[in-house]
Amino acid sequence: MDNSIAHPVDNGPRERTVVVTGGTRGVGAGIARAFAETGARVLACARRPPERPLKGVEFSPLDLRDPPAVRAFFAALPRLDVLVNNAGGTPYRRLADAEAERHARVVELNLITPLTASLAAYEHLRRSRGSVVMTGSVSGDRPSPGSAAYGAAKAGLAHLAASMAVEWAPEVRVNTLVVGMVRTELSHLHYGGPDGVAAVSRTVPLGRLAAPDDVGAAAVFLASDAAAYITGASLHVHGGGERPAFLDATTVNRDKGK
């Protein structure tokens, strides 16, 4: 069977070029490192450089909220094989505590900038028969009090990726990583230090938060020839998700042990 139409296997020595937005710290740094370990040329884009250089990763200053700058950046690349749209995030902010314009900036960063980058990269990816990997979130699958705009943007990102995968097939594959809780250098801001991280980890079926390298390995897989027939998919990287609250509330098995 000939799979070359979907995504041709390249057996030559060509070096792939990978762009990781927001690739200077946390999950993005884990993704950038994972691709660098495959021998790819990796460019990490962000407004500020990493505090410590990442081995095998080139830093490219770029404000993803500046569409002309984004288009100029991609136009200057000689080639591109993989785009990882990872830049994003949000502070804790309840809806009624800010004006709509503040929430709109969260949506812009987490939904509009991946669209901007993907469109700017499209011709490169079409020529190389490459792929796009979106960094999504479990916040897009469930209610997210305190980060509602972020959750709405991530839900939209998964839908955008699925639609993009249909429009851009067969030349470009597009998939989403649905990422759960990750232990990064900023985890203490979300979970409250070692005790908080340990307590939150106990709510995950696998018993720990993800490491950035766990997400990186999943991104490398989705961009590889091993995933040649996977497009328009959402891969959950969340350690099994969350234990349903009703299981702890029910009294049926309380005296029998859980």
Side-chain angles (χ1 to χ4, degrees):
M1 182 176 67
D2 183 2
N3 288 329
S4 61
I5 292 178
H7 191 65
V9 175
D10 187 349
N11 295 315
R14 174 180 60 81
E15 180 187 67
R16 293 196 305 166
T17 297
V18 179
V19 167
V20 182
T21 68
T24 58
R25 66 181 186 179
V27 169
I31 293 172
R33 283 193 301 266
F35 277 103
E37 289 170 1
T38 71
R41 180 194 179 199
V42 181
L43 289 78
C45 300
R47 289 186 297 171
R48 292 180 291 274
E51 293 183 1
R52 291 186 297 274
L54 301 174
K55 183 179 179 181
V57 178
E58 304 172 37
F59 170 68
S60 297
L62 181 63
D63 184 350
L64 290 157
R65 287 172 165 159
D66 183 349
V70 172
R71 289 189 285 268
F73 168 79
F74 283 101
L77 294 178
R79 70 169 294 125
L80 179 64
D81 300 272
V82 180
L83 169 62
V84 182
N85 283 308
N86 171 77
T90 185
Y92 180 87
R93 182 182 295 133
R94 298 185 74 88
L95 284 170
D97 291 341
E99 299 296 329
E101 291 84 351
R102 296 285 296 278
H103 297 299
R105 288 186 61 80
V106 173
V107 175
E108 178 190 16
L109 176 61
N110 291 280
L111 178 58
I112 304 304
T113 64
L115 173 60
T116 301
S118 298
L119 290 172
Y122 171 69
E123 288 299 332
H124 277 309
L125 295 171
R126 184 182 62 80
R127 286 191 293 269
S128 66
R129 301 183 77 84
S131 71
V132 178
V133 178
M134 305 288 196
T135 301
S137 171
V138 294
S139 293
D141 289 347
R142 54 162 170 74
S144 298
S147 58
Y150 174 80
K154 290 300 188 180
L157 185 67
H159 188 278
L160 173 65
S163 298
M164 191 180 290
V166 175
E167 287 197 18
W168 291 2
E171 292 88 2
V172 182
R173 295 187 301 109
V174 186
N175 293 290
T176 301
L177 294 173
V178 183
V179 180
M181 295 179 289
V182 184
R183 186 167 189 169
T184 71
E185 60 269 30
L186 299 179
S187 291
H188 64 283
L189 299 178
H190 298 279
Y191 310 122
D195 290 343
V197 170
V200 172
S201 296
R202 289 192 290 272
T203 71
V204 180
L206 284 187
R208 66 176 178 88
L209 304 189
D213 290 348
D214 292 319
V215 185
V220 167
F221 164 70
L222 284 180
S224 74
D225 289 330
Y229 199 64
I230 299 175
T231 193
S234 291
L235 176 61
H236 286 71
V237 185
H238 60 8
E242 300 173 339
R243 179 180 172 83
F246 78 85
L247 292 177
D248 295 321
T250 184
T251 60
V252 171
N253 295 313
R254 184 164 295 171
D255 296 329
K256 301 177 183 178
K258 295 181 181 178

